[in-house]
PDB file of all heavy atoms in Angstrom:
ATOM      1  N   THR A 108     -39.616 -98.767 142.890  1.00 77.00           N
ATOM      2  CA  THR A 108     -40.194 -99.440 141.734  1.00 77.00           C
ATOM      3  C   THR A 108     -39.219 -99.480 140.576  1.00 77.00           C
ATOM      4  O   THR A 108     -39.094-100.498 139.886  1.00 77.00           O
ATOM      5  CB  THR A 108     -41.493 -98.744 141.306  1.00 77.00           C
ATOM      6  OG1 THR A 108     -42.359 -98.678 142.437  1.00 77.00           O
ATOM      7  CG2 THR A 108     -42.186 -99.503 140.212  1.00 77.00           C
ATOM      8  N   ARG A 109     -38.515 -98.371 140.348  1.00 77.00           N
ATOM      9  CA  ARG A 109     -37.532 -98.361 139.258  1.00 77.00           C
ATOM     10  C   ARG A 109     -36.420 -99.374 139.519  1.00 77.00           C
ATOM     11  O   ARG A 109     -35.940-100.023 138.597  1.00 77.00           O
ATOM     12  CB  ARG A 109     -36.946 -96.966 139.086  1.00 77.00           C
ATOM     13  CG  ARG A 109     -37.911 -96.032 138.398  1.00 77.00           C
ATOM     14  CD  ARG A 109     -37.429 -94.632 138.389  1.00 77.00           C
ATOM     15  NE  ARG A 109     -36.099 -94.502 137.827  1.00 77.00           N
ATOM     16  CZ  ARG A 109     -35.525 -93.354 137.564  1.00 77.00           C
ATOM     17  NH1 ARG A 109     -36.166 -92.228 137.796  1.00 77.00           N
ATOM     18  NH2 ARG A 109     -34.318 -93.296 137.060  1.00 77.00           N
ATOM     19  N   ASP A 110     -36.030 -99.519 140.758  1.00 79.00           N
ATOM     20  CA  ASP A 110     -34.960-100.469 141.066  1.00 79.00           C
ATOM     21  C   ASP A 110     -35.445-101.906 140.928  1.00 79.00           C
ATOM     22  O   ASP A 110     -34.781-102.743 140.320  1.00 79.00           O
ATOM     23  CB  ASP A 110     -34.432-100.221 142.474  1.00 79.00           C
ATOM     24  CG  ASP A 110     -33.297-101.160 142.820  1.00 79.00           C
ATOM     25  OD1 ASP A 110     -32.492-101.473 141.921  1.00 79.00           O
ATOM     26  OD2 ASP A 110     -33.222-101.592 143.973  1.00 79.00           O
ATOM     27  N   VAL A 111     -36.609-102.204 141.486  1.00 78.00           N
ATOM     28  CA  VAL A 111     -37.094-103.579 141.465  1.00 78.00           C
ATOM     29  C   VAL A 111     -37.588-103.979 140.078  1.00 78.00           C
ATOM     30  O   VAL A 111     -37.229-105.031 139.552  1.00 78.00           O
ATOM     31  CB  VAL A 111     -38.227-103.759 142.503  1.00 78.00           C
ATOM     32  CG1 VAL A 111     -38.889-105.109 142.364  1.00 78.00           C
ATOM     33  CG2 VAL A 111     -37.659-103.592 143.899  1.00 78.00           C
ATOM     34  N   THR A 112     -38.404-103.142 139.455  1.00 75.00           N
ATOM     35  CA  THR A 112     -38.996-103.496 138.164  1.00 75.00           C
ATOM     36  C   THR A 112     -38.001-103.412 137.025  1.00 75.00           C
ATOM     37  O   THR A 112     -37.950-104.287 136.164  1.00 75.00           O
ATOM     38  CB  THR A 112     -40.195-102.574 137.864  1.00 75.00           C
ATOM     39  OG1 THR A 112     -41.095-102.635 138.965  1.00 75.00           O
ATOM     40  CG2 THR A 112     -40.910-102.992 136.605  1.00 75.00           C
ATOM     41  N   MET A 113     -37.212-102.368 137.033  1.00 75.00           N
ATOM     42  CA  MET A 113     -36.329-102.126 135.892  1.00 75.00           C
ATOM     43  C   MET A 113     -34.870-102.435 136.180  1.00 75.00           C
ATOM     44  O   MET A 113     -34.027-102.242 135.307  1.00 75.00           O
ATOM     45  CB  MET A 113     -36.488-100.686 135.435  1.00 75.00           C
ATOM     46  CG  MET A 113     -37.899-100.384 135.040  1.00 75.00           C
ATOM     47  SD  MET A 113     -38.051 -98.762 134.383  1.00 75.00           S
ATOM     48  CE  MET A 113     -39.755 -98.788 133.897  1.00 75.00           C
ATOM     49  N   GLY A 114     -34.565-102.895 137.381  1.00 77.00           N
ATOM     50  CA  GLY A 114     -33.204-103.287 137.718  1.00 77.00           C
ATOM     51  C   GLY A 114     -32.188-102.173 137.586  1.00 77.00           C
ATOM     52  O   GLY A 114     -31.058-102.395 137.156  1.00 77.00           O
ATOM     53  N   GLU A 115     -32.567-100.971 138.000  1.00 77.00           N
ATOM     54  CA  GLU A 115     -31.689 -99.822 137.797  1.00 77.00           C
ATOM     55  C   GLU A 115     -30.366 -99.946 138.559  1.00 77.00           C
ATOM     56  O   GLU A 115     -29.320 -99.555 138.049  1.00 77.00           O
ATOM     57  CB  GLU A 115     -32.422 -98.538 138.207  1.00 77.00           C
ATOM     58  CG  GLU A 115     -31.732 -97.286 137.782  1.00 77.00           C
ATOM     59  CD  GLU A 115     -32.613 -96.078 137.936  1.00 77.00           C
ATOM     60  OE1 GLU A 115     -33.161 -95.870 139.028  1.00 77.00           O
ATOM     61  OE2 GLU A 115     -32.745 -95.344 136.955  1.00 77.00           O
ATOM     62  N   ASP A 116     -30.402-100.509 139.754  1.00 76.00           N
ATOM     63  CA  ASP A 116     -29.158-100.648 140.521  1.00 76.00           C
ATOM     64  C   ASP A 116     -28.220-101.701 139.939  1.00 76.00           C
ATOM     65  O   ASP A 116     -27.022-101.658 140.165  1.00 76.00           O
ATOM     66  CB  ASP A 116     -29.455-100.983 141.982  1.00 76.00           C
ATOM     67  CG  ASP A 116     -29.986 -99.785 142.750  1.00 76.00           C
ATOM     68  OD1 ASP A 116     -29.927 -98.661 142.206  1.00 76.00           O
ATOM     69  OD2 ASP A 116     -30.463 -99.969 143.878  1.00 76.00           O
ATOM     70  N   ARG A 117     -28.751-102.654 139.190  1.00 78.00           N
ATOM     71  CA  ARG A 117     -27.920-103.691 138.573  1.00 78.00           C
ATOM     72  C   ARG A 117     -27.375-103.258 137.216  1.00 78.00           C
ATOM     73  O   ARG A 117     -26.610-104.000 136.603  1.00 78.00           O
ATOM     74  CB  ARG A 117     -28.725-104.975 138.399  1.00 78.00           C
ATOM     75  CG  ARG A 117     -29.086-105.666 139.683  1.00 78.00           C
ATOM     76  CD  ARG A 117     -29.728-107.011 139.428  1.00 78.00           C
ATOM     77  NE  ARG A 117     -30.679-107.015 138.329  1.00 78.00           N
ATOM     78  CZ  ARG A 117     -32.002-106.871 138.451  1.00 78.00           C
ATOM     79  NH1 ARG A 117     -32.523-106.690 139.646  1.00 78.00           N
ATOM     80  NH2 ARG A 117     -32.785-106.921 137.391  1.00 78.00           N
ATOM     81  N   SER A 118     -27.769-102.093 136.765  1.00 79.00           N
ATOM     82  CA  SER A 118     -27.359-101.637 135.440  1.00 79.00           C
ATOM     83  C   SER A 118     -25.845-101.485 135.352  1.00 79.00           C
ATOM     84  O   SER A 118     -25.191-100.963 136.246  1.00 79.00           O
ATOM     85  CB  SER A 118     -28.018-100.291 135.131  1.00 79.00           C
ATOM     86  OG  SER A 118     -27.530 -99.779 133.918  1.00 79.00           O
ATOM     87  N   ARG A 119     -25.279-101.946 134.231  1.00 82.00           N
ATOM     88  CA  ARG A 119     -23.836-101.854 134.001  1.00 82.00           C
ATOM     89  C   ARG A 119     -23.504-100.748 132.998  1.00 82.00           C
ATOM     90  O   ARG A 119     -22.406-100.688 132.478  1.00 82.00           O
ATOM     91  CB  ARG A 119     -23.309-103.188 133.479  1.00 82.00           C
ATOM     92  CG  ARG A 119     -23.602-104.384 134.373  1.00 82.00           C
ATOM     93  CD  ARG A 119     -22.899-104.332 135.677  1.00 82.00           C
ATOM     94  NE  ARG A 119     -21.476-104.404 135.434  1.00 82.00           N
ATOM     95  CZ  ARG A 119     -20.554-104.098 136.306  1.00 82.00           C
ATOM     96  NH1 ARG A 119     -20.892-103.681 137.486  1.00 82.00           N
ATOM     97  NH2 ARG A 119     -19.287-104.186 136.002  1.00 82.00           N
ATOM     98  N   ILE A 120     -24.469 -99.874 132.725  1.00 81.00           N
ATOM     99  CA  ILE A 120     -24.269 -98.792 131.758  1.00 81.00           C
ATOM    100  C   ILE A 120     -23.361 -97.741 132.385  1.00 81.00           C
ATOM    101  O   ILE A 120     -23.655 -97.201 133.445  1.00 81.00           O
ATOM    102  CB  ILE A 120     -25.613 -98.172 131.343  1.00 81.00           C
ATOM    103  CG1 ILE A 120     -26.460 -99.220 130.641  1.00 81.00           C
ATOM    104  CG2 ILE A 120     -25.392 -96.959 130.445  1.00 81.00           C
ATOM    105  CD1 ILE A 120     -27.885 -98.788 130.389  1.00 81.00           C
ATOM    106  N   ARG A 121     -22.255 -97.449 131.720  1.00 80.00           N
ATOM    107  CA  ARG A 121     -21.301 -96.469 132.233  1.00 80.00           C
ATOM    108  C   ARG A 121     -21.206 -95.229 131.340  1.00 80.00           C
ATOM    109  O   ARG A 121     -20.732 -94.207 131.761  1.00 80.00           O
ATOM    110  CB  ARG A 121     -19.912 -97.101 132.369  1.00 80.00           C
ATOM    111  CG  ARG A 121     -19.879 -98.265 133.338  1.00 80.00           C
ATOM    112  CD  ARG A 121     -20.170 -97.798 134.765  1.00 80.00           C
ATOM    113  NE  ARG A 121     -20.173 -98.901 135.693  1.00 80.00           N
ATOM    114  CZ  ARG A 121     -21.239 -99.385 136.278  1.00 80.00           C
ATOM    115  NH1 ARG A 121     -22.415 -98.874 136.043  1.00 80.00           N
ATOM    116  NH2 ARG A 121     -21.148-100.382 137.125  1.00 80.00           N
ATOM    117  N   CYS A 122     -21.635 -95.334 130.095  1.00 82.00           N
ATOM    118  CA  CYS A 122     -21.638 -94.189 129.181  1.00 82.00           C
ATOM    119  C   CYS A 122     -23.034 -93.578 129.169  1.00 82.00           C
ATOM    120  O   CYS A 122     -24.010 -94.275 128.887  1.00 82.00           O
ATOM    121  CB  CYS A 122     -21.266 -94.620 127.765  1.00 82.00           C
ATOM    122  SG  CYS A 122     -19.566 -95.172 127.623  1.00 82.00           S
ATOM    123  N   ASN A 123     -23.119 -92.319 129.512  1.00 81.00           N
ATOM    124  CA  ASN A 123     -24.390 -91.598 129.542  1.00 81.00           C
ATOM    125  C   ASN A 123     -25.441 -92.278 130.431  1.00 81.00           C
ATOM    126  O   ASN A 123     -26.558 -92.542 129.991  1.00 81.00           O
ATOM    127  CB  ASN A 123     -24.960 -91.415 128.140  1.00 81.00           C
ATOM    128  CG  ASN A 123     -24.097 -90.531 127.290  1.00 81.00           C
ATOM    129  OD1 ASN A 123     -23.458 -89.610 127.798  1.00 81.00           O
ATOM    130  ND2 ASN A 123     -24.051 -90.797 125.991  1.00 81.00           N
TER     131      ASN A 123
END
Side-chain angles (χ1 to χ4, degrees):
T108 306
R109 284 172 54 172
D110 182 36
V111 172
T112 306
M113 301 185 175
E115 192 168 52
D116 286 349
R117 292 187 319 264
S118 174
R119 304 294 296 164
I120 297 171
R121 299 295 179 251
C122 293
N123 295 328

